[in-house]
Amino acid sequence: ATPDMLIGLPPALILTAGHDCLRFEAARYAALLEGAGVAVTPRAFNDSDHGFVVHCKAEYRAAQDTMVEALTQAFASPA
């Protein structure tokens, strides 16, 4: 995505798994979002692999809590 395509997007929560080969792409995307002025909250789950949220791996509960908190804040705040 180009920076112009990202301007005005809502805040982003980006979860990464430490053993996921795609974590570097997530970091680059977060940097692009931040460069476009988008608020980014990164959260790394270093002991997990790709799909840990779906497959209920060890850090699943913390990731789920992080997502629920972000959604609660997003929908509780006036736009």
Side-chain angles (χ1 to χ4, degrees):
T2 65
D4 289 344
M5 296 169 68
L6 303 175
I7 292 172
L9 288 178
L13 170 65
I14 298 182
L15 306 180
T16 56
H19 302 289
D20 187 348
C21 63
L22 298 175
R23 69 188 181 279
F24 302 111
E25 282 79 1
R28 282 195 291 271
Y29 182 57
L32 285 171
L33 287 169
E34 288 176 330
V38 177
V40 176
T41 302
R43 180 75 194 274
F45 294 89
N46 295 322
D47 294 328
S48 293
D49 57 10
H50 186 82
F52 77 104
V53 173
V54 176
H55 300 293
C56 299
K57 301 284 179 152
E59 292 183 319
Y60 167 74
R61 176 58 65 187
Q64 183 183 46
D65 290 346
T66 299
M67 291 183 284
V68 168
E69 180 181 339
L71 287 168
T72 300
Q73 289 178 1
F75 287 104
S77 300

